[in-house]
Amino acid sequence: MITTTFRNERFANALNLVPQKIPPIWFMRQAGRYHSHYRKLKETYSFMDLCKQPELAAEVALGPVQEFGFDVSILFSDLLFPLEALGMGLTYDPGPKLSFSLTSEKDLLKLKTPEEAIEGLKFQKEAVIRTREVLPKDVSLIGFVGGPFTLMTYASIGKHDGNLSFIKTNQNFVDQFYSILVPLLKQNIELQLQGGAEVVMIFDTAAGMLDPYNFQRYVIGPISEFAKLYPKQIGYYAKNSTEEHVRQISEIPGLAGFGVDHRFSIKQTLKDFGGYGFIQGNFDQELLFADPSVLKQKIKEYLLPIKDLSPDKRKGWVAGLGHGVLQFTPETSVHMLIEETRKVFSE
């Protein structure tokens, strides 16, 4: 296990299930297209430049921390880089496109070994190091990798949704790909932890499309391997997860915590699953487009039931969104949600 120091006290408390009045705050996609800081950099640099040049990745990650005062910063990168490292090519025009797809077991022969591929991901360790150097000393830093199932969907059909019948019905093919991908992701996680990431999140955009049995096989299996290898340093989030998915996730030994989307009651989730690790979420990101007066009311409707819980009953909570910040989200709305959250819980 790679030991690390947690820089933000509130985030450390959430990870260690220490009761506290005010929760730590971080949003998925808090650095990105909605933010003027990012858009300004994008006028000069490509998305690939911003991810792969450590100084630029650090600058992108620092921007929202300076602007909004998040407790936690996130490595600025992309979840598809392991596929590029395996030799699948990757371009953005503007969305991601791989140079070929995995549509048969024969295609797997085109891939590099994990030992060869990890060389193509070492820039992420440098980006984590550089980001840690520029962040305020009291801001935590987390890394991330794409979930194996989501990377499987991109590798085979070029996106995270659509007809997944080929993947769901060809277990031998998936097992063979996982035998290459999962070892690579283990090394990828280790690189980020070595660089100074305090937790590495697994973002699984496509996993919510799985039934409970296949979720256990395609998702819980590899995530359990990661958590065993890096205890209390792995977090997990599956978009569109169900209550059964969350139950399975919460039972993974050694998992640091997990996120839920806005379809869950965070109050009920803390009641049902609190005590396993941190629980991150889950204000509806689409409400950030509301007029300020409406948004303020929606924020209070969301926060007050949580405030009714004692600090002990809401321990582990990391305040955030149901999913990531959407493009064109008003920056004033992001400010309001953060400020109101801290205000409500400080009273």
Side-chain angles (χ1 to χ4, degrees):
M1 179 176 176
I2 300 170
T3 57
T4 188
T5 301
F6 292 99
R7 302 301 184 96
N8 182 268
E9 183 179 2
R10 290 173 183 164
F11 188 52
N13 287 342
L15 285 163
N16 294 312
L17 299 176
V18 176
Q20 59 187 345
K21 286 183 64 177
I22 302 173
I25 301 173
W26 67 266
F27 296 168
M28 286 182 276
R29 294 183 184 156
Q30 65 189 34
R33 295 176 295 177
Y34 79 99
H35 193 203
S36 55
H37 173 79
Y38 173 83
R39 294 198 304 273
K40 185 69 175 176
L41 288 169
K42 197 68 168 50
E43 291 175 4
T44 305
Y45 303 102
S46 70
F47 176 72
M48 198 75 88
D49 289 335
L50 295 176
C51 291
K52 289 198 168 184
Q53 295 184 34
E55 293 78 11
L56 292 177
E59 178 63 24
V60 176
L62 176 64
V65 171
Q66 292 180 319
E67 170 79 17
F68 304 106
F70 288 106
D71 294 290
V72 181
S73 183
I74 310 172
L75 167 68
F76 187 77
S77 196
D78 190 79
L79 60 80
L80 296 182
F81 286 131
L83 299 182
E84 180 191 41
L86 285 169
M88 296 191 70
L90 181 62
T91 57
Y92 295 88
D93 188 28
K97 185 175 178 59
L98 297 167
S99 60
F100 65 91
S101 298
L102 303 180
T103 58
S104 70
E105 293 179 20
K106 189 183 300 183
D107 292 325
L108 298 174
L109 299 175
K110 303 176 185 177
L111 301 179
K112 295 179 181 179
T113 66
E115 292 71 29
E116 294 169 329
I118 195 62
E119 294 298 316
L121 292 168
K122 289 187 173 178
F123 70 91
Q124 288 190 338
K125 178 180 179 180
E126 296 306 313
V128 172
I129 291 171
R130 182 60 184 147
T131 303
R132 180 65 272 166
E133 288 174 349
V134 302
L135 285 174
K137 299 300 182 186
D138 61 349
V139 172
S140 281
L141 174 61
I142 62 175
F144 76 93
V145 299
F149 184 74
T150 293
L151 293 175
M152 173 82 254
T153 65
Y154 272 102
S156 60
I157 67 172
K159 54 184 179 177
H160 66 258
D161 55 12
N163 186 342
L164 303 183
S165 59
F166 171 73
I167 304 168
K168 292 180 179 181
T169 59
N170 286 274
Q171 183 64 50
N172 188 57
F173 171 77
V174 177
D175 287 345
Q176 288 188 51
F177 182 54
Y178 268 32
S179 72
I180 301 168
L181 179 64
V182 172
L184 176 61
L185 292 180
K186 289 177 180 177
Q187 295 182 64
N188 193 178
I189 291 167
E190 183 162 346
L191 281 179
Q192 294 184 25
L193 292 172
Q194 287 174 345
E198 298 166 28
V199 168
V200 174
M201 290 293 296
I202 312 296
F203 291 136
D204 229 350
T205 316
M209 301 174 72
L210 289 168
D211 65 87
Y213 175 82
N214 283 303
F215 190 85
Q216 183 73 35
R217 184 162 189 172
Y218 287 111
V219 174
I220 299 300
I223 304 306
S224 297
E225 289 184 41
F226 300 155
K228 183 178 181 179
L229 199 56
Y230 309 107
K232 294 300 180 182
Q233 293 179 306
I234 301 296
Y236 182 79
Y237 173 85
K239 186 178 182 181
N240 296 326
S241 56
T242 66
E243 186 172 341
E244 173 60 20
H245 291 153
V246 170
R247 183 193 63 76
Q248 292 183 41
I249 295 162
S250 71
E251 294 175 353
I252 297 175
L255 194 71
F258 58 88
V260 293
D261 71 23
H262 61 278
R263 297 170 306 143
F264 285 76
S265 159
I266 200 73
K267 181 177 181 179
Q268 190 63 40
T269 303
L270 286 165
K271 180 180 178 181
D272 293 342
F273 302 105
Y276 292 95
F278 74 78
I279 296 177
Q280 193 265 348
N282 68 340
F283 187 76
D284 186 345
Q285 57 280 345
E286 292 180 350
L287 294 178
L288 293 174
F289 289 88
D291 290 334
S293 60
V294 174
L295 176 59
K296 192 168 186 176
Q297 181 60 33
K298 292 295 183 183
I299 292 171
K300 287 184 177 179
E301 290 172 0
Y302 170 76
L303 293 176
L304 291 180
I306 309 171
K307 190 184 179 187
D308 286 343
L309 299 172
S310 67
D312 183 64
K313 293 291 178 62
R314 61 173 186 264
K315 63 186 177 185
W317 180 42
V318 178
L321 300 176
H323 193 51
V325 186
L326 299 172
Q327 188 178 13
F328 308 121
T329 297
E331 293 181 26
T332 53
S333 297
V334 176
H335 276 291
M336 182 184 292
L337 178 55
I338 294 170
E339 291 163 6
E340 287 296 313
T341 299
R342 290 182 176 143
K343 179 181 176 183
V344 164
F345 288 99
S346 64
E347 293 172 346

